[in-house]
Amino acid sequence: MKWDATEKSQNSFSLTGGDAVVNFAKQNGMLVRTHSSGIRSCLLGFPLYPAQVPLRLSSKIILLPWVAAGRAQYMLGILNEDGSMRSSVFYNVLKETFVSIAFKAARSADGSAKLYINDYNLDSVNSKVNGMVSKVKSWRSGGAPIDGIGSQAHLSAGGAGGVQAALSALAGTGVSEVAITELDIAGASSNDYVTAMKACLAVSSCVGITSWGVRDTDSWRSGSTPLLFDSSYKPKAAYTAIMNNL
């Protein structure tokens, strides 16, 4: 669902992978949290002239047919760790107005989807969280239809203690929802997973937790065995602990 996967060459779209995921969800009564259309590391594989950037940004988002599947994430990796804007083809040409352009295009494509900004290192109250809070308040006041903020929560062992405060800060922007969107925790200790779960439960606008994968073998950080199921799809102790605490 990322840009480089759906438009490998200019104006040549391949949507079959995303279609398969969404069709499976619809057939099984599921919601889909789509991945970000605008992610700095997976953008265009072809050059654009500055005058093309606004049109390409809005038309790309409108063309994606997956919004109605549930909660859609349209921006990822737009802030530096100090809370400032990150350089990208969009920011370099349009400055911060690209955020409003993208979200308004998404809203015009589907008025019922929940539109999210999703980013990493939003799992404790740090400079990036403070920057996100400030930016989202400003963008929303300027008319950008941002419904939610996702904290990816790719955590180190023992790193779940700041999640609740971070979620509360993000919720303070006025968005209707926040969520933990890509949870995985190095070592997958029961205490860490339960702490993250309770953090979401303690923030009234936190609508859910999505993990980044099912079994350790398929994780993007498989060496740290961060997920709730082992390589044989057997539930680990952290899974049992979460179920016992719900």
Side-chain angles (χ1 to χ4, degrees):
M1 296 180 177
K2 299 174 184 177
W3 201 316
D4 62 347
T6 56
E7 190 181 5
K8 293 182 181 296
S9 59
Q10 192 164 7
N11 297 319
S12 178
F13 294 92
S14 176
L15 308 179
T16 53
D19 286 343
V21 173
V22 171
N23 289 338
F24 178 85
K26 288 181 176 180
Q27 292 166 8
N28 291 276
M30 300 175 178
L31 290 175
V32 173
R33 181 176 291 282
T34 68
H35 212 292
S36 303
S37 302
I39 171 173
R40 63 182 178 83
S41 60
C42 301
L43 290 176
L44 313 177
F46 48 85
L48 287 178
Y49 294 107
Q52 294 178 288
V53 172
L55 178 61
R56 292 294 294 137
L57 177 60
S58 57
S59 63
K60 167 66 175 182
I61 287 174
I62 290 171
L63 280 169
L64 291 181
W66 302 310
V67 183
R71 292 176 169 82
Q73 299 168 172
Y74 276 101
M75 291 292 160
L76 185 153
I78 62 173
L79 295 186
N80 292 307
E81 299 311 293
D82 64 1
S84 62
M85 294 296 295
R86 190 185 293 273
S87 175
S88 71
V89 63
F90 303 124
Y91 178 72
N92 294 345
V93 174
L94 301 171
K95 302 307 177 185
E96 292 187 30
T97 60
F98 85 89
V99 176
S100 181
I101 291 170
F103 276 88
K104 288 179 179 179
R107 180 65 82 226
S108 72
D110 189 322
S112 63
K114 296 292 186 179
L115 306 180
Y116 270 66
I117 285 181
N118 182 59
D119 219 327
Y120 58 92
N121 288 348
L122 300 180
D123 38 60
S124 63
V125 179
N126 53 32
S127 295
K128 192 169 187 177
V129 166
N130 291 333
M132 181 67 77
V133 169
S134 176
K135 295 293 187 184
V136 170
K137 285 181 177 179
S138 175
W139 294 328
R140 282 174 48 82
S141 68
I146 301 170
D147 298 315
I149 304 174
S151 172
Q152 291 185 16
H154 297 299
L155 302 177
S156 301
V163 173
Q164 182 177 331
L167 291 174
S168 294
L170 297 172
T173 59
V175 294
S176 61
E177 300 182 3
V178 295
I180 296 173
T181 57
E182 303 182 15
L183 181 63
D184 52 18
I185 307 175
S189 83
S190 297
N191 182 67
D192 285 343
Y193 263 99
V194 169
T195 298
M197 178 199 72
K198 288 183 175 180
C200 181
L201 293 175
V203 177
S204 60
S205 57
C206 185
V207 296
I209 299 173
T210 305
S211 67
W212 187 255
V214 178
R215 62 176 185 166
D216 287 331
T217 310
D218 303 317
S219 169
W220 70 286
R221 52 193 297 212
S222 58
S224 63
T225 59
L227 297 175
L228 294 171
F229 294 83
D230 67 17
S231 60
S232 300
Y233 291 105
K234 293 180 180 179
K236 294 156 68 172
Y239 174 87
T240 304
I242 285 175
M243 298 305 294
N244 289 340
N245 277 273
L246 284 176

